[in-house]
Amino acid sequence: MFQKDLLQRKRILITGGGTGLGKAAAQRFLELGAEVYICGRRQEVLAATERELHERTGGGNKNDDGRKKMIHSLACDVRDAAAVEAMIESIWADDPLDVLMNNAAGNFLARTEDLSLGAFQSVIGIVLMGTLHTTMACGRRWLATGHKGVVLNITTTYTTTGSAYVVPSAVAKAGMQALTRSLAVEWGNRGIRMNAIAPGPIPTEGAFSRLLPRPELEVEAKKRNPLGRFGTTEEFANLAAFLVSDGAGYINGEVVTMDGGEWLQGAGEFTALGRELTEKEWETMRPKKTAPKPASRRPE
Ligand code: HXC
Ligand code: NAP
């Protein structure tokens, strides 16, 4: 789908890059020539992903000199502003980043009235504050030196509609979306592009174990999708690679939905009704065919 050197010489940080969608993006970026940093809280998960991706991608970009290590992992809790600052400083000590992908998230299904303040703080802390910490740390450095930067935020399809039972996530992701559009404008004229991807359901252990607790719910979830299936990590990684590449240089402030049309299906007034109607009902609603009127005869 892409030229092999699409992301050559790009230095990219993916928060939450040790698992799921972040890991898939890390693999794709490495295959396309980028140098990738992944961060998360669990050191052992990061180390395993680093090893796996290093081996799977032949140590990174084969077009390079073959010596430089192209994948690095750093343990960091993005809720902790000081820890984020230290991580970004250590990356910059080598060279500036070119791309920041804010992908780390926390989420779970719960009735809102049951949630403690700590539950709200945990999810909002990861999703919204974590994104703010990394974005400010990179953004200030880019602005100070005139270095061009790209930010890609991973949101959800319920940022504008909200969603019952995932309220901490919905409010935090809505904030992330507002941040994306606001800074795309405020920083755009100084060389920083900022976009978001709003994925529909894509099977990952992290998301599905917390949000689809019974296998039969997956069947129902697929039925709610016009394409009748979930998205794939490869489809996600391809879109991410495109959006962070220079080829997408005029896309700024955009939230790209990739959900097979799922949220539109949920939003359409007549979608559910239309699926309920029988063949006979459709038939009775069609205009009746009437016999053509005889042509009027001209008076002679
Ligand atoms: C109610 C809960 C809860 C639950 C935790 N809490 N789970 N409350 N229902 N299921 C409360 C705890 O009681 C605690 O409150 C507070 O939240 C923090 O919980 P901890 O377990 O101490 O926090 P921590 O270990 O930091 O874990 C954070 C987490 C966890 C968010 C709770 O789920 C996590 O680590 N998630 C990371 C990965 C993830 O969520 N991936 C899915 C992303 S999918 P007190 O009051 O005791 O402090 C996604 C979009 C999917 O985002 C869209 C699909 C279409
Ligand atoms: P995932 O595998 O659980 O990914 C979440 C990642 O975030 C984990 O690697 C986790 O690692 C990291 N993380 C969590 N808290 C962190 C913190 N405080 N500091 C640093 N890292 C932290 O789930 P996923 O499905 O790949 O989700 C990736 C992104 O896609 C998320 O933004 C999610 O909201 C979004 N999304 C997913 C779907 C889907 O269907 N999969 C749909 C819509 C949107 P540690 O636990 O080691 O910290």
Side-chain angles (χ1 to χ4, degrees), residues 41 79 105-108 110 115-116 118-119 122 156 158 201 206-207 210-211:
R41 291 166 301 177
R79 286 175 287 196
N107 204 353
F108 46 75
L115 291 176
S116 66
S122 175
T156 59
Y158 48 73
R210 291 179 173 89
L211 299 167

Side-chain angles (χ1 to χ4, degrees), residues 16 19-21 41-42 76-78 103-105 155 173 199 202 204 206:
T19 64
L21 302 188
R41 291 166 301 177
R42 290 167 298 164
C76 178
D77 186 332
V78 294
N103 165 82
T155 66
K173 293 285 192 182
I202 300 173
T204 65

Side-chain angles (χ1 to χ4, degrees), residues 15-23 39-46 75-80 101-107 122 125-127 130 153-158 169 173 176 197-211 233 236:
T15 68
T19 64
L21 302 188
K23 179 178 171 182
C39 80
R41 291 166 301 177
R42 290 167 298 164
Q43 175 67 61
E44 69 288 0
V45 171
L46 292 169
C76 178
D77 186 332
V78 294
R79 286 175 287 196
D80 181 344
M101 179 169 153
N102 287 307
N103 165 82
N107 204 353
S122 175
I126 303 168
V127 175
N153 291 331
I154 310 308
T155 66
T156 59
T157 52
Y158 48 73
S169 170
K173 293 285 192 182
M176 249 177 120
I197 297 178
I202 300 173
T204 65
E205 169 66 24
F208 275 43
S209 64
R210 291 179 173 89
L211 299 167
T233 54
F236 172 83

Side-chain angles (χ1 to χ4, degrees), residues 50-66:
E50 182 184 325
R51 257 194 318 277
E52 183 189 328
L53 294 187
H54 181 76
E55 280 158 24
R56 203 185 281 184
T57 57
N61 177 24
K62 291 193 185 106
N63 297 335
D64 210 314
D65 61 13

